[in-house]
Every structure is written in structure tokens, then in C-alpha cells.
Amino acid sequence: MKINRIISKSKLLTTILYLLYCSHAFSQFSVSGKILDEQRRHFPLVNVAFLNRNDSMLITGTVSDSTGFYHQNLKSGEYIVRYSFLGYRTLFKDLHLDNDIQLNDIQMETEGINLKEITVSARSNPFQISEGGLKVDVEHSILQKQNNIYDLLS
């Protein structure tokens, strides 16, 4: 009888240890933080991506809310956190996750993009329809290159 109790206690202890191991192996942890702009104001709608540190593959992502706050649940592991928003410099932070964590505030910085020179050109329509008939602006059109009215009409 005493041996049965020892075996039962041993099975119970093994079961408890197994359950603790499984719950830790499959548990998820909370990652949260706040994103600010250059004036340290709340920055909404910033993309927050969690990448696998080994191959930079996207694991999951979220977007900051109207107060610049974001939150994501992840399994323990090694991650790269990517913060991005159009017109701002993309930021990367390393993350070792083994418990719930509140990350430091992230301050986004604008990124100026220099474009090559562009040329804007426009043409006006040389023909205008009015109540009196059709008006033609010969002076500001290709018709100006004609020598006389006969060339213009032919």
C-alpha cells in the first residue's frame, strides 16, 4: 500500500511538471509600447512588424492606435521589431522575449527624399466653342507655323 502511494505521488509530480513545461513552451507574452513623432506627440497608424531574427521573415504585425500605443502577443524568442510610416525613417530594434515587456518609447524621425528635377508642361486648347461659333487661337498653337491662310486651310 505504501508503494502504491509513492507511485501515485510520483505520477502526480510527473504530470504537474509536464503541464508546467507545456504551459511555458506554448505560452505567449505581451509586447507593448508607445510611438511618438519628432515633437513627442502621439503618433497613430505606425506599422509595427515583428520579424524573425534569423531570417527577417515577417511573423506578425500591428498598427499603433490614436494615442500611439501598440500591443502584440508573441511566443518567446528572438525578434526584430520594425517601425515604419511613409515619409519617416524606418527604425529597427532587437527584442529578446521571455516575459511580458513594455518597450521604451519610439520617436520617429522624418526622412527627406530628394527627387530629380522634374519639368511640368501644359497646353491650352486652341479651340473654344462659344455662342458666337468656334474660336481658334492660332497664335498659341501649331497652326502658327503656317505661312498664310491658304496653307492653314489646306
Side-chain angles (χ1 to χ4, degrees):
M1 195 146 313
K2 192 171 187 177
I3 294 176
N4 286 340
R5 278 192 227 167
I6 292 174
I7 292 174
S8 294
K9 286 182 181 180
S10 176
K11 285 182 180 178
L12 179 63
L13 181 61
T14 304
T15 304
I16 290 172
L17 289 175
Y18 177 74
L19 290 174
L20 286 174
Y21 171 76
C22 288
S23 67
H24 179 71
F26 297 107
S27 63
Q28 290 198 340
F29 298 106
S30 170
V31 178
S32 60
K34 192 170 220 175
I35 304 171
L36 307 170
D37 67 9
E38 290 177 317
Q39 288 77 36
R40 301 202 54 80
R41 294 180 301 212
H42 304 303
F43 200 162
L45 304 175
V46 174
N47 294 305
V48 183
F50 296 90
L51 311 173
N52 183 324
R53 181 178 276 166
N54 295 328
D55 58 10
S56 298
M57 292 294 291
L58 177 66
I59 303 298
T60 188
T62 187
V63 176
S64 62
D65 66 12
S66 63
T67 64
F69 182 79
Y70 65 92
H71 173 269
Q72 186 66 48
N73 290 323
L74 294 165
K75 293 180 183 176
S76 64
E78 303 289 326
Y79 297 94
I80 300 170
V81 186
R82 181 184 67 204
Y83 303 91
S84 60
F85 192 86
L86 187 62
Y88 286 78
R89 192 168 61 105
T90 299
L91 302 175
F92 296 92
K93 301 290 179 190
D94 288 329
L95 173 64
H96 172 75
L97 187 62
D98 59 2
N99 59 356
D100 292 346
I101 187 168
Q102 169 78 34
L103 296 174
N104 294 333
D105 290 352
I106 298 297
Q107 188 168 354
M108 301 294 284
E109 301 171 3
T110 56
E111 180 176 50
I113 299 173
N114 292 328
L115 300 175
K116 293 181 181 179
E117 181 181 317
I118 60 169
T119 304
V120 178
S121 61
R123 288 186 178 170
S124 64
N125 190 352
F127 302 99
Q128 294 180 354
I129 299 175
S130 65
E131 290 180 20
L134 179 66
K135 290 183 181 178
V136 179
D137 183 8
V138 175
E139 184 179 353
H140 296 101
S141 72
I142 196 166
L143 301 174
Q144 163 189 359
K145 295 180 181 177
Q146 302 300 322
N147 292 330
N148 56 48
I149 192 70
Y150 298 111
D151 292 336
L152 183 63
L153 294 175
S154 60

